[in-house]
Amino acid sequence: MKMKPLMSSLFVLSFISMVLLLLLQSSTVMSVDCNVLELISCTGPISTGETTPDSVCCSKLKEHEPCFCQYKNNPFYSSYVNSPNATKVAETCGVSFPSC
């Protein structure tokens, strides 16, 4: 009869280990690869300011919020990120630019 408590303890330990692994795995999946090319759907609204950003653009902007300082500090992208159109697109999408 002493085996049942041991088995249940092992089951609980296994279950907790599995949950921890799933949590660690999901946090790495949610990390963002700061690849500015993923924001291609925002090119039109940011360059011309004439079109409203679509849902794809807005979701990508929200996804890339952790990358904004990196983009702002990159000489190739800073003029786009700091432009009035980029600010307008971000406001339309409900995304705020951090002060870096």
Side-chain angles (χ1 to χ4, degrees):
M1 289 233 165
K2 289 185 178 184
M3 290 299 279
K4 282 191 178 187
L6 179 62
M7 296 279 285
S8 64
S9 295
L10 287 174
F11 175 77
V12 170
L13 183 61
S14 297
F15 180 75
I16 291 171
S17 298
M18 187 174 59
V19 168
L20 286 173
L21 278 172
L22 288 172
L23 287 173
L24 287 172
Q25 198 173 36
S26 67
S27 68
T28 56
V29 169
M30 294 182 71
S31 68
V32 178
D33 179 25
C34 293
N35 181 356
V36 76
L37 293 176
E38 290 185 17
L39 299 174
I40 198 82
S41 60
C42 299
T43 303
I46 290 175
S47 359
T48 65
E50 295 175 4
T51 58
T52 304
D54 61 11
S55 61
V56 174
C57 170
C58 290
S59 67
K60 285 296 182 181
L61 275 180
K62 290 176 184 172
E63 185 180 306
H64 281 253
E65 275 186 272
C67 306
F68 288 164
C69 286
Q70 180 181 340
Y71 297 154
K72 287 177 90 168
N73 294 325
N74 184 317
F76 294 111
Y77 309 130
S78 62
S79 61
Y80 297 105
V81 174
N82 295 319
S83 73
N85 288 340
T87 304
K88 189 168 81 173
V89 168
E91 286 174 1
T92 302
C93 293
V95 176
S96 61
F97 284 111
S99 56
C100 308

